[in-house]
């Protein structure tokens, strides 16, 4: 079965640079989520989109923005990168129509800021 | 303030025995609970979930128990196998203002199953 696809898997950027992460949700899923997991931390919710519209916001810094496109893929844009942005970024997707709404995660994108 | 707590950072179990992973939550608004398994450098893999209207859900070797009054859930794996060795995340979710179910995660418990 198709899973959530994230790219790139690894990314190294310098401080103050910009990075863009991409996510392709499971086909027919209508909701996309972005999570950030720092070393030794639990995944923290950043932002979600439902049917290409921003749905909910979590602890996403103002330097970050995200959007969902007409083909349902999503991109997380991170600007003015800081060392503390180094983390594993997960994209997840779900189908809202089902009660409870289990979300399925991608493999993650490792961002290292140097 | 950690709304979902997994107080045991690690658990070591012999192959064939039962593994019990525990999770506590503080927000009574949570109404859907999930367990994920995670290997290093991979994304969390969904294992099993339970709605707040139930107190038990079983799927093969995995059973999740929910005690709403105690705000506690547990994952039982029986029999445990060496391939079960991974980090297990407990997550609790509720519908957010925008309509999405947003899981809040615990810090994870590292399970090691010895052959």
């Amino acid at each position: 079965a198709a899973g959530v696809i994230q790219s790139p898997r690894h990314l190294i950027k310098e401080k103050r640079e910009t990075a863009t992460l991409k996510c392709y949700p499971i086909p027919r899923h209508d909701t996309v989520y972005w999570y950030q997991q720092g070393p030794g931390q639990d995944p923290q919710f950043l932002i979600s989109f439902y049917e290409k519209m921003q749905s909910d916001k979590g602890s996403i810094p103002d330097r970050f923005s995200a959007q969902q496109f007409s083909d349902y893929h999503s991109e997380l844009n991170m600007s003015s990168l800081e060392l503390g942005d180094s983390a594993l970024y997960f994209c997840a997707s779900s189908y809202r129509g089902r009660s409870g709404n289990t979300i399925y995660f991608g493999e993650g994108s490792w961002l290292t800021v140097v | 303030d950690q709304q979902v707590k997994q107080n045991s950072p690690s658990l070591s179990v012999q192959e064939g025995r039962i593994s019990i992973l525990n999770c506590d939550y503080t927000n009574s608004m949570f109404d859907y609970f999930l367990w994920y398994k995670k290997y290093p450098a991979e994304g969390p893999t969904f294992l099993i979930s339970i709605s707040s209207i139930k107190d038990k859900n079983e799927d093969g070797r995995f059973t999740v128990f929910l005690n709403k009054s105690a705000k506690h859930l547990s994952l039982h794996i029986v029999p445990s196998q060496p391939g079960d060795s991974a980090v297990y995340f407990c997550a609790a979710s509720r519908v957010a203002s925008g309509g999405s179910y947003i899981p809040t995660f615990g810090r994870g418990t590292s399970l090691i199953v010895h052959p």
Side-chain angles (χ1 to χ4, degrees), chain B residues 56-69:
Chain B
K56 176 182 174 182
N57 188 26
E58 193 171 350
D59 183 3
R61 296 185 297 115
F62 302 92
T63 303
V64 56
F65 295 92
L66 175 63
N67 182 335
K68 284 197 299 288
S69 60

Side-chain angles (χ1 to χ4, degrees), chain A residues 9 31 33 35 37 40-45 48-50 55-56 88 90 94 96 98-108 110, chain B residues 2 4 31-32 34 36 38 40-46 49 51 89 93 95-108:
Chain A
R9 291 296 313 278
T31 305
Y33 308 75
Y35 278 78
Q37 185 179 22
Q41 302 294 313
D42 50 299
Q44 292 289 320
F45 169 68
S48 65
F49 292 85
Y50 170 66
S55 175
D56 291 284
L88 188 53
F90 290 111
S94 68
R96 186 180 281 196
R98 184 165 297 147
S99 172
N101 217 325
T102 299
I103 77 171
Y104 297 88
F105 285 82
E107 296 291 301
W110 277 102
Chain B
Q2 198 77 7
V4 179
D31 61 2
Y32 194 70
L34 312 97
Y36 288 85
K38 186 179 181 301
E42 292 186 9
T45 302
F46 169 70
S49 61
S51 164
F89 285 95
S93 67
V95 176
S97 57
S100 302
Y101 261 90
I102 309 293
T104 299
F105 286 84
R107 292 251 165 106

